[in-house]
Each structure stands twice: as C-alpha cells, then as structure tokens.
Amino acid sequence: MTDTREPGAPAEAHLAQYRDEGFCLIEGLIPADLVEAARRRTMELARGLADWPARHFQVLDPARYESPGGQPLPGGIQQPASQENVFARIADHPRLAAAMAALLVGPVERYTDQLGVKHAAVAEEQGGRSYFHQDSFYWKIAPELGCNCWIPLTEVAAEASALAVMPASHRGWRLVDHESYYDDPPMGRMDDDGFKPFKRHRVPPDQVDASRERLIATRPGDGLFFTNYTWHRSEPNRSGRTRAFYAIAYQRRTPG
C-alpha cells in the first residue's frame, strides 16, 4: 500500500508509541534548509550574544568560559522564535503543529521554545549533560495536555548530546519529587550585579533504573516527541564539536 501521508506526519505507529511509551520519533520532520539556517544562526549566537534582552540567555559561568570576543557563552537561549524568523519558521512549522495536534488530540498552541548549545570547549565531567527530569515539574502543565519536541540541529549520538528517555515513565501521570542541583560548569543569567547561577531539578539518581532507558540517536531535522511527564535526560558532549538542538513545547488549547 502506498503511504499517502505528508512528510513528517505521524503514522498510527507513532501515535500508539506515544500513548504507550510516552515518546515517538518522527524522522525528517523539518526541512533540511530550515534546519541548516537555524544551525548557522545558533552557532553565531554561541560565539557572541545577539542584541536581544538579557532574559533570553542562560550563560555558562564567565569566570570559566568566555567567547573569543570576551562575552559569556550561552548554554541555553530562551524563546528565540520571538526574536528571529529563522527560528519561528521551525517553531511554527505546519508539520510540527500538525504532529502536535495529532499527538495531543485537539487544537494546540506553542507554549515555549529554547535552543540548547553544548560547547566543545567545556571540559568538566558533567560536559553539558542533563539528568532525568519531567518537564511538568518546571512548567506545571496538566497531564496529557503538553508535549515537547526535541529537534537536533547537528547530528547527535552517544557521548554527543543525544537524548535518552525512560519508556512508559508517563504512565499514571504522576510527578515525582525532584531534587535541585547546580550544573558544572554552573549556568545562570547576567544582570547588573554580574553572573547569577541557578539550580536545575532532577529525579533523584537512586530512583533511576538506567537499564530501562532508551538512548535515541537522531539526525538534524528529526523530531523526538515526548509528554511533559516522560522522564528524559541528555548525554554530555564528548565529540570535540559544538552541538546544538531546538526544543519546542506545545500544549493543547483549552476553551476560554
């Protein structure tokens, strides 16, 4: 039988996996030219902060890392689609919006978006890794109403920034208690008083059975979708090359 789906559209197997395991991977979701344009612009931002409001940038401790021009290095860039169309073309792409509507079973709207940059220069053991967490611990989106799509802008794999998920960890729609920690190197924001590190949150390591996780290698433009209750983490970047990804969250639009 001929597959008549639009490129990037979820198949029934994607929908079933999302329901059962809390995630699914849709290959080739975003066209290559849009991904490459976003990658180039992200790498420019990684070398020198744009003239955007400071709240958009989460930077590495400038006492440890600076750009060649003496600026802080961004590890996270919040809501870039609100600043430049090169990112909005991905965050609001019809394929992404249609996949979100299918997965969330109803009309949707974009909730937030962020770029992640894992710099080759970072030498600490943590290496830009994140630990298992649930997005709704941060965002407080109700069960079944939120979905995140993680789109690599560069190829990722083990030891090169890939995402890992814990299959079926969304079942029961329960938020577990998270503990707080500082990244190494610390990440935070710059204000008039200088660098202010912030804490992130994770599922306590003694509650994680790493043998159950699934590490997912992806290519630029693939879309890894997961619920706001699905446990997920990211690999450190040991590749020797700076890596970047774009995470875009949607929620189901509710009446009123």
Side-chain angles (χ1 to χ4, degrees), residues 210-245:
S211 69
R212 294 184 54 245
E213 75 172 24
R214 193 172 305 172
L215 186 70
I216 303 176
T218 48
R219 294 176 295 182
D222 291 347
L224 177 58
F225 293 82
F226 48 92
T227 82
N228 276 13
Y229 280 64
T230 301
W231 296 17
H232 59 283
R233 69 167 186 88
S234 66
E235 284 277 276
N237 180 18
R238 313 282 193 216
S239 69
R241 297 173 51 200
T242 296
R243 306 278 176 169
F245 63 87

Side-chain angles (χ1 to χ4, degrees), residues 12-138:
E12 181 54 41
H14 294 123
L15 302 178
Q17 184 180 25
Y18 183 83
R19 290 192 300 267
D20 295 342
E21 298 191 78
F23 74 97
C24 67
L25 175 66
I26 300 179
E27 297 178 343
L29 179 73
I30 302 297
D33 60 329
L34 301 186
V35 174
E36 175 58 17
R39 184 199 67 80
R40 289 197 304 267
R41 183 57 178 142
T42 300
M43 293 306 175
E44 291 173 357
L45 294 170
R47 292 190 292 269
L49 303 184
D51 187 21
W52 299 359
R55 67 177 182 276
H56 288 281
F57 296 101
Q58 299 172 335
V59 301
L60 305 183
D61 184 351
R64 300 195 200 180
Y65 294 99
E66 289 185 337
S67 72
Q71 291 183 299
L73 283 178
I77 303 171
Q78 300 296 312
Q79 299 182 318
S82 70
Q83 298 298 302
E84 296 188 8
N85 195 46
V86 68
F87 302 114
R89 287 198 298 264
I90 295 177
D92 297 324
H93 196 280
R95 292 182 188 172
L96 174 59
M100 286 290 189
L103 293 170
L104 292 174
V105 196
V108 295
E109 60 191 0
R110 177 156 51 88
Y111 179 77
T112 192
D113 61 308
Q114 63 176 338
L115 295 165
V117 182
K118 297 194 178 185
H119 295 273
V122 171
E124 284 82 356
E125 188 280 333
Q126 188 181 338
R129 81 170 70 234
S130 67
Y131 301 95
F132 274 113
H133 63 282
Q134 297 168 288
D135 285 338
S136 269
F137 192 84
Y138 290 91

Side-chain angles (χ1 to χ4, degrees), residues 120-205:
V122 171
E124 284 82 356
E125 188 280 333
Q126 188 181 338
R129 81 170 70 234
S130 67
Y131 301 95
F132 274 113
H133 63 282
Q134 297 168 288
D135 285 338
S136 269
F137 192 84
Y138 290 91
W139 297 337
K140 311 305 180 187
I141 295 176
E144 302 184 70
L145 297 186
C147 180
N148 199 353
C149 182
W150 197 88
I151 301 170
L153 303 180
T154 52
E155 286 198 20
V156 300
E159 296 287 291
S161 305
L163 209 71
V165 297
M166 193 69 77
S169 53
H170 70 304
R171 291 182 185 172
W173 301 105
R174 183 178 69 89
L175 285 180
V176 302
D177 289 333
H178 287 47
E179 64 181 20
S180 299
Y181 69 99
Y182 287 107
D183 286 305
D184 184 27
M187 192 157 64
R189 299 186 186 276
M190 300 296 296
D191 62 22
D192 292 340
D193 297 322
F195 175 69
K196 297 290 189 272
F198 55 70
K199 290 183 177 181
R200 291 208 285 178
H201 309 296
R202 66 186 180 191
V203 175

